[in-house]
Amino acid sequence: MVNYKDLGLVNTREMFAKAVDGGYAIPAFNFNNMEQLQAIIMAAVETKSPVILQISKGARQYANQTLLRYMAEGAVAYAKELGCEHPEIVLHLDHGDSFELCKNCIEMGFSSVMIDGSALPYDENVALTRKVVDFAHKYDVTVEGELGVLAGVEDEVAAEESHYTKPEEVIDFVTKTGVDSLAISIGTSHGAYKFTPEQCTVDPKTGRLVPPPLAFDVLEAIEKKLPGFPIVLHGSSSVPQEDVDTINKYGGALKAAVGIPEEQLRKAAKSAVCKINIDSDSRLAMTAAIRKTLAEKPAEFDPRKYLGPARDHMKELYIHKIVNVLGSNGKLSH
Ligand code: G3H
Ligand code: 13P
Ligand code: ZN
Protein backbone atom coordinates (compact mmCIF):
# COMPACT_ATOMS: atom_id res chain seq x y z
CA MET A 1 0.00 0.00 0.00
CA VAL A 2 1.46 3.35 -1.09
CA ASN A 3 0.00 6.32 0.78
CA TYR A 4 -0.31 9.40 -1.42
CA LYS A 5 0.69 11.61 1.50
CA ASP A 6 4.13 9.99 1.46
CA LEU A 7 4.45 11.03 -2.19
CA GLY A 8 3.75 14.70 -1.40
CA LEU A 9 0.33 14.63 -3.06
CA VAL A 10 -2.89 16.06 -1.61
CA ASN A 11 -6.54 15.08 -1.90
CA THR A 12 -9.20 17.45 -3.24
CA ARG A 13 -11.11 18.27 -0.05
CA GLU A 14 -9.51 21.53 1.06
CA MET A 15 -8.76 22.61 -2.50
CA PHE A 16 -12.43 22.31 -3.52
CA ALA A 17 -13.76 24.04 -0.41
CA LYS A 18 -11.52 27.02 -1.15
CA ALA A 19 -12.43 27.03 -4.85
CA VAL A 20 -16.18 27.00 -4.17
CA ASP A 21 -15.78 29.85 -1.67
CA GLY A 22 -13.44 31.80 -3.92
CA GLY A 23 -15.45 31.47 -7.14
CA TYR A 24 -12.80 29.75 -9.24
CA ALA A 25 -12.16 26.20 -10.52
CA ILE A 26 -9.20 23.84 -10.21
CA PRO A 27 -7.77 22.64 -13.54
CA ALA A 28 -7.94 18.89 -14.07
CA PHE A 29 -5.60 18.12 -16.95
CA ASN A 30 -5.22 14.60 -18.35
CA PHE A 31 -1.75 13.33 -19.07
CA ASN A 32 -0.32 10.33 -20.93
CA ASN A 33 3.32 11.27 -21.45
CA MET A 34 6.28 13.21 -20.12
CA GLU A 35 5.88 16.33 -22.27
CA GLN A 36 2.27 16.84 -21.16
CA LEU A 37 3.26 16.38 -17.53
CA GLN A 38 6.18 18.80 -17.79
CA ALA A 39 3.96 21.41 -19.42
CA ILE A 40 1.26 21.03 -16.76
CA ILE A 41 3.71 21.35 -13.89
CA MET A 42 5.57 24.30 -15.43
CA ALA A 43 2.24 26.09 -15.98
CA ALA A 44 0.98 25.34 -12.45
CA VAL A 45 4.23 26.53 -10.88
CA GLU A 46 4.42 29.71 -12.96
CA THR A 47 0.84 30.63 -12.15
CA LYS A 48 1.00 29.44 -8.51
CA SER A 49 -2.05 27.26 -9.12
CA PRO A 50 -3.16 24.01 -7.50
CA VAL A 51 -3.57 21.30 -10.13
CA ILE A 52 -5.20 17.92 -10.65
CA LEU A 53 -3.27 15.38 -12.74
CA GLN A 54 -5.77 13.02 -14.30
CA ILE A 55 -5.06 9.51 -15.50
CA SER A 56 -7.72 7.71 -17.50
CA LYS A 57 -8.03 3.96 -17.88
CA GLY A 58 -6.75 4.44 -21.43
CA ALA A 59 -3.72 6.38 -20.17
CA ARG A 60 -2.89 3.52 -17.80
CA GLN A 61 -3.05 1.08 -20.68
CA TYR A 62 -0.99 3.33 -22.97
CA ALA A 63 1.75 4.50 -20.65
CA ASN A 64 1.83 1.83 -17.93
CA GLN A 65 0.29 2.45 -14.53
CA THR A 66 3.51 2.07 -12.56
CA LEU A 67 5.36 4.53 -14.73
CA LEU A 68 2.53 7.07 -14.52
CA ARG A 69 2.42 6.80 -10.75
CA TYR A 70 6.14 7.48 -10.45
CA MET A 71 5.79 10.35 -12.92
CA ALA A 72 3.20 11.93 -10.65
CA GLU A 73 5.49 11.47 -7.68
CA GLY A 74 8.27 13.01 -9.75
CA ALA A 75 5.96 15.90 -10.59
CA VAL A 76 5.92 16.97 -6.95
CA ALA A 77 9.72 16.98 -6.81
CA TYR A 78 9.88 18.76 -10.17
CA ALA A 79 7.49 21.49 -8.98
CA LYS A 80 9.73 22.05 -5.94
CA GLU A 81 12.80 22.15 -8.16
CA LEU A 82 11.06 24.83 -10.24
CA GLY A 83 10.71 26.95 -7.11
CA CYS A 84 7.29 26.03 -5.69
CA GLU A 85 7.87 25.24 -2.02
CA HIS A 86 4.42 23.80 -1.31
CA PRO A 87 2.90 22.44 -4.49
CA GLU A 88 -0.73 21.26 -4.31
CA ILE A 89 -0.93 18.37 -6.72
CA VAL A 90 -3.68 15.75 -6.84
CA LEU A 91 -3.26 12.42 -8.60
CA HIS A 92 -6.74 11.49 -9.80
CA LEU A 93 -8.22 8.49 -11.58
CA ASP A 94 -10.44 9.79 -14.38
CA HIS A 95 -13.59 7.77 -15.19
CA GLY A 96 -12.87 4.75 -13.00
CA ASP A 97 -15.35 2.10 -14.10
CA SER A 98 -15.03 -0.55 -11.38
CA PHE A 99 -14.39 -0.90 -7.68
CA GLU A 100 -11.25 -2.95 -8.40
CA LEU A 101 -9.72 -0.23 -10.59
CA CYS A 102 -10.39 2.45 -7.96
CA LYS A 103 -9.00 0.22 -5.18
CA ASN A 104 -5.90 -0.56 -7.22
CA CYS A 105 -5.24 3.13 -7.88
CA ILE A 106 -5.74 4.02 -4.22
CA GLU A 107 -3.26 1.31 -3.25
CA MET A 108 -0.78 2.73 -5.76
CA GLY A 109 -0.79 6.25 -4.36
CA PHE A 110 -3.68 8.08 -6.01
CA SER A 111 -5.11 10.80 -3.79
CA SER A 112 -8.47 11.00 -5.54
CA VAL A 113 -10.59 8.72 -7.72
CA MET A 114 -13.63 9.08 -9.90
CA ILE A 115 -16.09 6.22 -9.96
CA ASP A 116 -18.21 6.76 -13.03
CA GLY A 117 -21.42 4.80 -12.59
CA SER A 118 -23.40 7.30 -14.65
CA ALA A 119 -24.36 4.76 -17.30
CA LEU A 120 -25.78 2.36 -14.68
CA PRO A 121 -29.32 2.34 -13.34
CA TYR A 122 -29.56 4.87 -10.47
CA ASP A 123 -29.56 2.32 -7.61
CA GLU A 124 -26.57 0.48 -9.04
CA ASN A 125 -24.69 3.76 -9.45
CA VAL A 126 -25.42 4.55 -5.78
CA ALA A 127 -24.30 1.10 -4.58
CA LEU A 128 -21.05 1.07 -6.59
CA THR A 129 -20.18 4.64 -5.64
CA ARG A 130 -20.88 3.94 -1.95
CA LYS A 131 -18.56 0.93 -2.05
CA VAL A 132 -15.73 3.00 -3.53
CA VAL A 133 -16.29 5.82 -1.03
CA ASP A 134 -16.20 3.41 1.94
CA PHE A 135 -12.83 2.05 0.79
CA ALA A 136 -11.33 5.40 -0.29
CA HIS A 137 -12.24 7.28 2.87
CA LYS A 138 -10.32 4.78 5.01
CA TYR A 139 -7.20 6.26 3.38
CA ASP A 140 -8.44 9.86 3.21
CA VAL A 141 -8.72 9.59 -0.58
CA THR A 142 -11.49 11.74 -2.04
CA VAL A 143 -14.10 10.42 -4.47
CA GLU A 144 -15.91 12.00 -7.42
CA GLY A 145 -19.20 10.45 -8.52
CA GLU A 146 -21.31 11.22 -11.57
CA LEU A 147 -25.02 11.66 -12.20
CA GLY A 148 -26.37 12.30 -15.67
CA VAL A 149 -24.84 11.18 -18.96
CA LEU A 150 -22.51 13.15 -21.23
CA ALA A 151 -22.84 12.72 -24.98
CA GLY A 152 -19.84 12.13 -27.21
CA VAL A 153 -17.64 9.31 -28.33
CA GLU A 154 -13.99 9.25 -27.34
CA ASP A 155 -12.13 6.02 -26.73
CA GLU A 156 -13.18 4.50 -23.43
CA VAL A 157 -15.76 7.15 -22.65
CA ALA A 158 -18.78 6.78 -24.84
CA ALA A 159 -22.46 7.64 -24.74
CA GLU A 160 -24.85 8.08 -27.62
CA GLU A 161 -26.93 10.88 -26.16
CA SER A 162 -26.69 13.11 -23.17
CA HIS A 163 -29.13 13.14 -20.28
CA TYR A 164 -28.87 16.19 -18.11
CA THR A 165 -28.41 15.55 -14.41
CA LYS A 166 -31.78 15.56 -12.65
CA PRO A 167 -31.60 18.13 -9.84
CA GLU A 168 -34.22 16.18 -7.89
CA GLU A 169 -31.77 13.24 -7.55
CA VAL A 170 -28.65 15.00 -6.31
CA ILE A 171 -29.41 15.26 -2.58
CA ASP A 172 -30.31 11.59 -2.37
CA PHE A 173 -27.21 10.58 -4.37
CA VAL A 174 -24.75 12.65 -2.37
CA THR A 175 -26.28 11.59 0.96
CA LYS A 176 -26.43 7.89 0.16
CA THR A 177 -22.97 7.66 -1.42
CA GLY A 178 -20.93 10.08 0.70
CA VAL A 179 -19.06 11.38 -2.38
CA ASP A 180 -16.80 14.41 -2.03
CA SER A 181 -17.71 15.93 -5.40
CA LEU A 182 -20.27 15.38 -8.12
CA ALA A 183 -19.77 15.42 -11.88
CA ILE A 184 -22.88 16.63 -13.67
CA SER A 185 -24.19 16.75 -17.21
CA ILE A 186 -25.35 20.16 -18.44
CA GLY A 187 -24.48 19.98 -22.12
CA THR A 188 -20.73 19.37 -22.28
CA SER A 189 -19.35 16.23 -23.88
CA HIS A 190 -15.99 14.55 -24.44
CA GLY A 191 -13.71 14.96 -27.42
CA ALA A 192 -13.26 17.57 -30.16
CA TYR A 193 -16.68 17.05 -31.76
CA LYS A 194 -19.05 18.15 -29.07
CA PHE A 195 -21.87 19.34 -31.30
CA THR A 196 -23.09 18.52 -34.77
CA PRO A 197 -23.19 21.44 -37.23
CA GLU A 198 -27.01 21.12 -37.13
CA GLN A 199 -27.00 21.90 -33.39
CA CYS A 200 -24.96 25.08 -33.98
CA THR A 201 -25.61 28.48 -35.48
CA VAL A 202 -23.08 30.26 -37.69
CA ASP A 203 -21.39 33.47 -36.50
CA PRO A 204 -21.95 35.82 -39.46
CA LYS A 205 -18.68 37.71 -38.76
CA THR A 206 -16.30 34.77 -38.56
CA GLY A 207 -18.28 32.01 -40.27
CA ARG A 208 -17.48 29.81 -37.24
CA LEU A 209 -19.98 27.39 -35.71
CA VAL A 210 -21.48 28.64 -32.43
CA PRO A 211 -22.71 25.84 -30.15
CA PRO A 212 -25.88 25.96 -28.03
CA PRO A 213 -25.31 27.32 -24.50
CA LEU A 214 -24.81 25.07 -21.49
CA ALA A 215 -27.86 24.38 -19.31
CA PHE A 216 -27.08 26.92 -16.60
CA ASP A 217 -30.64 26.56 -15.29
CA VAL A 218 -29.88 22.92 -14.43
CA LEU A 219 -26.60 23.96 -12.75
CA GLU A 220 -28.42 26.60 -10.70
CA ALA A 221 -31.11 24.11 -9.64
CA ILE A 222 -28.37 21.68 -8.52
CA GLU A 223 -26.58 24.42 -6.58
CA LYS A 224 -29.80 25.27 -4.78
CA LYS A 225 -30.24 21.66 -3.73
CA LEU A 226 -26.60 21.30 -2.62
CA PRO A 227 -25.36 24.70 -1.46
CA GLY A 228 -21.55 24.85 -1.38
CA PHE A 229 -21.11 21.27 -2.62
CA PRO A 230 -18.23 20.79 -5.11
CA ILE A 231 -19.47 20.27 -8.67
CA VAL A 232 -17.32 18.95 -11.54
CA LEU A 233 -17.57 19.64 -15.26
CA HIS A 234 -16.25 17.04 -17.67
CA GLY A 235 -15.89 17.56 -21.40
CA SER A 236 -14.76 21.16 -21.00
CA SER A 237 -12.34 21.63 -23.87
CA SER A 238 -12.98 24.69 -26.00
CA VAL A 239 -11.38 23.27 -29.15
CA PRO A 240 -9.32 26.38 -30.08
CA GLN A 241 -9.97 27.09 -33.74
CA GLU A 242 -6.39 28.31 -34.29
CA ASP A 243 -5.10 24.84 -33.42
CA VAL A 244 -7.77 23.17 -35.54
CA ASP A 245 -6.78 25.47 -38.43
CA THR A 246 -3.06 24.72 -37.95
CA ILE A 247 -3.74 20.99 -37.93
CA ASN A 248 -5.83 21.23 -41.10
CA LYS A 249 -3.32 23.55 -42.78
CA TYR A 250 -0.52 21.03 -42.30
CA GLY A 251 -2.27 17.93 -43.56
CA GLY A 252 -4.86 17.20 -40.87
CA ALA A 253 -8.54 16.54 -41.47
CA LEU A 254 -10.54 17.82 -38.53
CA LYS A 255 -13.94 18.81 -39.80
CA ALA A 256 -16.43 20.87 -37.82
CA ALA A 257 -14.68 20.37 -34.49
CA VAL A 258 -16.52 22.50 -31.92
CA GLY A 259 -15.96 22.95 -28.17
CA ILE A 260 -17.40 24.82 -25.19
CA PRO A 261 -16.89 28.59 -25.49
CA GLU A 262 -14.50 29.86 -22.83
CA GLU A 263 -16.86 32.54 -21.54
CA GLN A 264 -19.29 29.79 -20.55
CA LEU A 265 -16.58 27.96 -18.65
CA ARG A 266 -15.58 31.23 -16.97
CA LYS A 267 -19.18 31.64 -15.83
CA ALA A 268 -19.31 28.03 -14.59
CA ALA A 269 -16.01 28.44 -12.70
CA LYS A 270 -17.50 31.31 -10.70
CA SER A 271 -20.32 29.02 -9.48
CA ALA A 272 -20.14 25.79 -7.48
CA VAL A 273 -18.20 24.22 -10.35
CA CYS A 274 -14.78 23.78 -8.75
CA LYS A 275 -13.10 21.24 -11.08
CA ILE A 276 -12.98 21.60 -14.85
CA ASN A 277 -11.67 18.70 -16.95
CA ILE A 278 -9.59 19.45 -20.03
CA ASP A 279 -7.94 16.84 -22.21
CA SER A 280 -8.82 17.38 -25.89
CA ASP A 281 -7.43 20.93 -26.01
CA SER A 282 -4.05 19.63 -24.95
CA ARG A 283 -4.20 16.93 -27.64
CA LEU A 284 -5.03 19.56 -30.24
CA ALA A 285 -2.22 21.87 -29.07
CA MET A 286 0.30 19.05 -29.20
CA THR A 287 -0.82 17.83 -32.60
CA ALA A 288 -0.87 21.34 -34.09
CA ALA A 289 2.69 22.08 -32.94
CA ILE A 290 4.04 18.72 -34.12
CA ARG A 291 2.37 18.96 -37.54
CA LYS A 292 3.64 22.51 -38.03
CA THR A 293 7.23 21.67 -37.07
CA LEU A 294 7.37 18.56 -39.22
CA ALA A 295 5.82 20.35 -42.19
CA GLU A 296 8.22 23.28 -41.92
CA LYS A 297 11.29 21.16 -41.20
CA PRO A 298 10.77 17.96 -43.18
CA ALA A 299 14.36 16.86 -42.65
CA GLU A 300 13.96 16.86 -38.86
CA PHE A 301 13.87 13.48 -37.15
CA ASP A 302 15.03 14.20 -33.61
CA PRO A 303 11.81 13.84 -31.54
CA ARG A 304 12.99 16.56 -29.15
CA LYS A 305 12.85 19.03 -32.03
CA TYR A 306 9.10 18.56 -32.48
CA LEU A 307 8.08 17.44 -28.99
CA GLY A 308 9.85 20.50 -27.52
CA PRO A 309 7.68 23.02 -29.44
CA ALA A 310 4.64 20.85 -28.63
CA ARG A 311 5.48 21.07 -24.94
CA ASP A 312 5.89 24.87 -25.18
CA HIS A 313 2.54 25.20 -26.92
CA MET A 314 0.75 23.02 -24.34
CA LYS A 315 2.31 25.05 -21.53
CA GLU A 316 0.92 28.25 -23.11
CA LEU A 317 -2.49 26.59 -23.33
CA TYR A 318 -2.45 25.48 -19.68
CA ILE A 319 -1.39 28.94 -18.49
CA HIS A 320 -4.16 30.51 -20.57
CA LYS A 321 -6.77 28.15 -19.08
CA ILE A 322 -5.58 28.72 -15.51
CA VAL A 323 -5.35 32.51 -15.76
CA ASN A 324 -8.05 33.47 -18.25
CA VAL A 325 -10.69 30.78 -17.82
CA LEU A 326 -10.56 29.01 -14.45
CA GLY A 327 -9.06 31.73 -12.26
CA SER A 328 -7.00 29.35 -10.10
CA ASN A 329 -3.78 31.39 -10.45
CA GLY A 330 -2.29 32.54 -7.15
CA LYS A 331 -4.54 30.19 -5.18
CA LEU A 332 -1.91 28.03 -3.48
CA SER A 333 -2.37 28.03 0.32
CA HIS A 334 1.33 28.70 1.05
O1 G3H B 1 -12.74 11.85 -20.36
C1 G3H B 1 -11.93 11.24 -21.04
C2 G3H B 1 -10.56 11.70 -21.22
O2 G3H B 1 -10.47 12.63 -22.27
C3 G3H B 1 -9.64 10.53 -21.38
O3 G3H B 1 -9.69 10.00 -22.65
O4 G3H B 1 -9.88 7.52 -22.40
O5 G3H B 1 -8.88 8.58 -24.45
O6 G3H B 1 -7.63 8.62 -22.30
P1 G3H B 1 -8.98 8.58 -22.97
P1 13P C 1 -12.50 17.07 -23.11
O1 13P C 1 -12.54 15.95 -24.10
O2 13P C 1 -13.52 18.11 -23.43
O3 13P C 1 -11.14 17.66 -22.97
O4 13P C 1 -12.91 16.47 -21.69
C1 13P C 1 -11.99 15.81 -20.88
C2 13P C 1 -12.61 15.11 -19.72
O5 13P C 1 -13.74 15.29 -19.36
C3 13P C 1 -11.76 14.16 -19.00
O6 13P C 1 -12.46 13.45 -18.02
ZN1 ZN D 1 -14.54 13.12 -18.51
Side-chain angles (χ1 to χ4, degrees):
M1 171 82 202
V2 180
N3 191 310
Y4 69 87
K5 292 177 189 175
D6 296 334
L7 309 182
L9 298 162
V10 296
N11 69 21
T12 59
R13 197 165 292 122
E14 211 177 301
M15 202 180 262
F16 283 175
K18 281 183 65 192
V20 173
D21 271 2
Y24 61 92
I26 309 291
F29 297 132
N30 290 69
F31 83 101
N32 298 265
N33 60 49
M34 183 187 75
E35 284 75 12
Q36 275 178 315
L37 183 61
Q38 287 175 315
I40 295 169
I41 297 303
M42 285 191 279
V45 169
E46 274 186 36
T47 58
K48 300 185 170 40
S49 173
V51 73
I52 298 173
L53 300 173
Q54 296 200 138
I55 296 180
S56 69
K57 192 176 166 185
R60 280 165 57 94
Q61 277 157 4
Y62 172 77
N64 179 277
Q65 55 165 326
T66 306
L67 201 48
L68 286 170
R69 200 274 279 168
Y70 281 102
M71 285 169 78
E73 186 179 353
V76 176
Y78 181 46
K80 289 184 180 166
E81 194 182 306
L82 291 176
C84 179
E85 266 182 67
H86 301 286
E88 289 170 29
I89 301 176
V90 173
L91 180 61
H92 176 78
L93 169 67
D94 192 24
H95 294 284
D97 61 357
S98 68
F99 172 77
E100 287 66 33
L101 177 59
C102 293
K103 178 173 180 280
N104 189 261
C105 286
I106 292 165
E107 288 171 344
M108 282 199 73
F110 281 58
S111 58
S112 176
V113 293
M114 175 189 194
I115 176 69
D116 181 356
S118 61
L120 297 173
Y122 181 80
D123 289 340
E124 288 176 37
N125 186 4
V126 168
L128 176 61
T129 307
R130 177 81 246 176
K131 192 174 172 193
V132 171
V133 168
D134 284 343
F135 183 81
H137 281 184
K138 279 191 217 155
Y139 303 99
D140 204 18
V141 167
T142 39
V143 180
E144 176 184 325
E146 178 163 335
L147 261 187
V149 180
L150 273 71
V153 179
E154 186 90 332
D155 294 338
E156 304 282 336
V157 187
E160 297 260 304
E161 19 164 350
S162 88
H163 301 283
Y164 289 163
T165 305
K166 295 184 186 132
E168 61 274 20
E169 286 182 349
V170 297
I171 296 179
D172 187 68
F173 186 81
V174 164
T175 313
K176 283 190 179 149
T177 59
V179 279
D180 301 281
S181 61
L182 180 67
I184 60 165
S185 169
I186 56 165
T188 62
S189 63
H190 293 106
Y193 301 95
K194 299 191 189 297
F195 305 96
T196 61
E198 294 73 40
Q199 290 174 298
C200 302
T201 51
V202 178
D203 180 337
K205 279 194 205 131
T206 59
R208 301 275 196 207
L209 293 173
V210 180
L214 298 180
F216 280 101
D217 53 332
V218 175
L219 174 58
E220 276 160 30
I222 292 168
E223 280 188 85
K224 277 206 186 110
K225 299 272 184 195
L226 297 172
F229 192 80
I231 300 296
V232 177
L233 264 197
H234 281 249
S236 297
S237 277
S238 295
V239 187
Q241 291 303 303
E242 313 78 67
D243 284 337
V244 172
D245 290 347
T246 303
I247 290 170
N248 289 337
K249 179 175 168 190
Y250 295 108
L254 299 181
K255 288 194 190 81
V258 185
I260 310 297
E262 288 186 338
E263 59 275 14
Q264 296 202 29
L265 297 170
R266 235 172 260 132
K267 183 172 165 188
K270 291 196 173 105
S271 72
V273 170
C274 64
K275 171 176 182 267
I276 290 190
N277 287 11
I278 296 170
D279 185 2
S280 298
D281 283 356
S282 163
R283 297 177 179 195
L284 290 166
M286 187 171 204
T287 304
I290 291 173
R291 276 197 179 275
K292 183 169 188 289
T293 308
L294 291 180
E296 289 176 351
K297 298 178 185 162
E300 195 54 76
F301 67 97
D302 176 347
R304 292 169 299 187
K305 296 285 167 33
Y306 51 86
L307 292 176
R311 185 173 61 195
D312 293 345
H313 193 41
M314 287 189 286
K315 179 183 161 192
E316 261 172 56
L317 168 87
Y318 295 133
I319 290 179
H320 165 69
K321 297 286 179 186
I322 288 170
V323 175
N324 301 320
V325 185
L326 310 191
S328 61
N329 47 309
K331 302 297 187 190
L332 289 176
S333 295
H334 304 283

